[in-house]
Amino acid sequence: MDLVSGIAKLGCYAVFRQVFILGRNIVWMLNGTYWQHRRCWKSPVYYAESAHVHNIAARRKLDVLLGPANFMDFTLTHHSFENPAYVLKDNVSLYQVTRDQAIFVEVPEEMDVWRCQHGSFLRQAQFNNAHRVITMPLHAFHTLADSIGDPDAELVFVQNTARCGSTLLVRVFEETEECVAFSEPDALNAVASYATHPGWKHADVSRVTRDAVRMLCKPVHRMKGQTRAYLMKLTILSIDGVPMLQELYPNSKHMFMYRDCLKVSESLMRIKEVLPLLKLGYVTANDKFDVVTTVIKLIGLSNEGCGEIRIKHQFQIGVWLWCIVMKKYENMVQSGVEMAAVAYEDIAGDPEYALTEIFKYCNVPLHLLKSGLRALEKDAQGNSELAASNIKTKKVDVGITPKVRDLCNSTLVSFGYPVLGRPCILPGTITHKNTIYWPPK
């Protein structure tokens, strides 16, 4: 989508949505829908009818892949009020959680929206395939989550540097047919960012996070056998929420997946051509303002200790992003957070060894390894705009000049990492046979 036309269409949609909602709310006030909705939101007494089911009249996002799940993605009409247990169906999934409500989407009955065949990212599959939206007040969300309890399987959370093969790991677990794997569930991405937000109390974030995990990992009745594990691959903004996730689920497993800095930065340069929000960030970045203290805060990451980095060339963006997330992993491990690192190069070089170590770490039976390896034969992001066949058609010059390389190397060295082209193996990398740590212990 052309960036300018995309923004224009989104603006037209926003105007249409506001006019539509104004007329709809007048109708709802006249027919009683508004008052029933308000009553359910204000008092737990009306729990039994507090799930508001909506039909979708229209939908629009600037960036389906990168844009966070948002209630405003949809223009809705009233369908019915139901018991919150309505969302426990296999074809209903948690879309987003805000300060006052939980938002679910309903897809066709036969669809498991979390499967990669419907979209390489959960938010993408949910947005494209939803035919109803269900909202409920947080008090009903908490009551329902308490009724189903914690997941009865291994919980695995995957953090990453972006463009490092973490979506491939989702497909590996999904291919086993005994694991449920989510690629970037935005409800959990959001609550992880709330953990460092000054407007949220720790107890409130903790409860919302716990219940988001419970509702994402509700039992899947269509699974053929026992569910061995729930894997949740999150976006980079969620890494600051790892301590809270570990506090809530002390037996959960946490992995950090990374890849060579040069490859990550090159990949980001290419995919910006198909991701409007990413392209917007790239074209507006320059040396006139401090990117770390503006963009980083906007996407939900803490920039503590990162200093000031001004962009003189677009290639630097991928480098500083990589450095910040890598350093966060190292700082967490040094502070006592239990987390294992996984290198993409190890999976590509010796997939059987690397996946064996990952399955052992996650307590996934090794007899599932053979089926998991089948995922390596597929394009992990083939059901999205990021499909390799699509990216190859984009003419992007990612070649860097000696001057740009020097700028990037200066950033890397300032964070304590090797210059571009030199290998970097993080402490705690479970997939590397002969780990040589950088920096040296």
Side-chain angles (χ1 to χ4, degrees):
M1 181 193 301
D2 177 74
L3 182 58
V4 175
S5 66
I7 293 173
K9 289 177 181 178
L10 186 65
C12 292
Y13 168 76
V15 173
F16 158 78
R17 186 175 184 274
Q18 288 303 313
V19 173
F20 183 94
I21 290 175
L22 179 62
R24 183 201 66 186
N25 286 351
I26 292 173
V27 173
W28 281 9
M29 292 181 77
L30 294 173
N31 67 16
T33 301
Y34 171 82
W35 306 109
Q36 184 170 352
H37 177 96
R38 185 179 180 183
R39 184 168 61 243
C40 292
W41 254 245
K42 283 187 172 293
S43 175
V45 172
Y46 301 99
Y47 172 80
E49 54 187 34
S50 59
H52 192 173
V53 182
H54 308 259
N55 292 321
I56 299 173
R59 71 190 80 197
R60 171 67 65 176
K61 291 183 73 169
L62 175 62
D63 193 329
V64 174
L65 294 192
L66 203 58
N70 194 299
F71 185 59
M72 292 186 293
D73 296 340
F74 305 100
T75 302
L76 306 172
T77 61
H78 173 69
H79 179 272
S80 61
F81 288 98
E82 304 287 346
N83 189 291
Y86 182 96
V87 304
L88 298 181
K89 299 187 294 184
D90 281 356
N91 62 321
V92 178
S93 57
L94 183 61
Y95 189 63
Q96 189 56 283
V97 182
T98 68
R99 281 185 174 278
D100 63 347
Q101 67 180 357
I103 305 158
F104 297 78
V105 296
E106 182 177 357
V107 298
E109 189 172 353
E110 70 284 355
M111 180 182 291
D112 290 323
V113 74
W114 53 271
R115 292 190 182 275
C116 290
Q117 69 188 78
H118 304 301
S120 301
F121 302 91
L122 183 62
R123 76 176 78 85
Q124 167 206 8
Q126 290 175 314
F127 176 80
N128 288 335
N129 295 288
H131 65 85
R132 289 198 183 104
V133 171
I134 303 96
T135 59
M136 66 177 68
L138 279 191
H139 64 76
F141 177 66
H142 293 319
T143 300
L144 181 64
D146 287 343
S147 72
I148 64 174
D150 292 330
D152 187 21
E154 294 288 343
L155 288 178
V156 182
F157 299 95
V158 180
Q159 312 293 333
N160 62 91
T161 61
R163 309 307 298 160
C164 62
S166 54
T167 309
L168 174 63
L169 201 57
V170 172
R171 296 205 75 148
V172 166
F173 274 69
E174 182 187 313
E175 283 288 336
T176 67
E177 291 296 337
E178 294 187 24
C179 299
V180 177
F182 301 101
S183 181
E184 303 186 5
D186 264 357
L188 204 52
N189 289 327
V191 296
S193 70
Y194 298 158
T196 56
H197 195 286
W200 279 79
K201 295 179 181 178
H202 177 81
D204 294 336
V205 180
S206 179
R207 190 174 187 190
V208 170
T209 303
R210 181 201 64 187
D211 292 345
V213 171
R214 286 175 170 180
M215 294 309 303
L216 280 167
C217 303
K218 59 188 174 70
V220 180
H221 303 101
R222 278 196 288 260
M223 289 290 283
K224 296 176 181 178
Q226 177 186 0
T227 302
R228 304 284 186 173
Y230 292 94
L231 179 139
M232 285 156 278
K233 171 237 173 176
L234 305 175
T235 58
I236 58 170
L237 64 85
S238 69
I239 193 167
D240 288 318
V242 169
M244 177 170 290
L245 289 168
Q246 209 160 70
E247 176 187 322
L248 289 167
Y249 295 100
N251 295 323
S252 60
K253 303 297 183 182
H254 295 261
M255 293 188 289
F256 177 79
M257 192 163 178
Y258 66 101
R259 186 185 184 188
D260 176 74
C261 180
L262 181 62
K263 296 297 184 183
V264 169
S265 302
E266 288 177 339
S267 183
L268 286 169
M269 287 286 287
R270 291 190 182 95
I271 68 169
K272 77 178 189 300
E273 298 304 314
V274 297
L275 297 177
L277 283 177
L278 185 61
K279 187 168 186 177
L280 184 62
Y282 268 80
V283 299
T284 56
N286 56 60
D287 64 353
K288 304 299 182 185
F289 64 94
D290 179 4
V291 173
V292 170
T293 56
T294 53
V295 177
I296 284 294
K297 287 184 177 179
L298 284 174
I299 65 174
L301 279 171
S302 164
N303 68 316
E304 183 179 355
C306 295
E308 180 179 275
I309 302 174
R310 297 184 184 276
I311 298 301
K312 297 182 181 296
H313 189 277
Q314 289 184 351
F315 198 86
Q316 288 179 273
I317 296 175
V319 174
W320 61 251
L321 185 63
W322 184 90
C323 287
I324 289 169
V325 182
M326 292 277 281
K327 186 58 67 176
K328 283 183 178 294
Y329 162 79
E330 287 200 275
N331 290 343
M332 283 185 183
V333 171
Q334 290 171 5
S335 69
V337 174
E338 293 185 16
M339 211 171 179
V342 172
Y344 169 78
E345 288 77 12
D346 294 338
I347 296 177
D350 191 342
E352 186 167 350
Y353 175 84
L355 293 183
T356 296
E357 294 304 306
I358 291 170
F359 276 31
K360 284 162 59 177
Y361 175 77
C362 297
N363 294 324
V364 174
L366 293 183
H367 73 264
L368 299 175
L369 183 63
K370 185 177 179 179
S371 56
L373 285 166
R374 290 198 300 262
L376 304 182
E377 302 168 5
K378 306 173 183 178
D379 180 356
Q381 297 181 345
N383 295 319
S384 75
E385 291 295 314
L386 300 182
S389 57
N390 186 40
I391 299 299
K392 287 177 181 177
T393 66
K394 307 300 177 184
K395 304 291 184 181
V396 182
D397 179 18
V398 296
I400 56 174
T401 65
K403 183 178 180 180
V404 173
R405 182 178 287 270
D406 288 343
L407 287 170
C408 295
N409 287 341
S410 176
T411 299
L412 286 162
V413 171
S414 71
F415 277 88
Y417 295 119
V419 296
L420 293 176
R422 286 189 59 190
C424 176
I425 307 298
L426 284 174
T429 301
I430 61 174
T431 52
H432 201 69
K433 289 182 178 179
N434 300 303
T435 300
I436 302 173
Y437 293 115
W438 183 276
K441 286 186 173 180

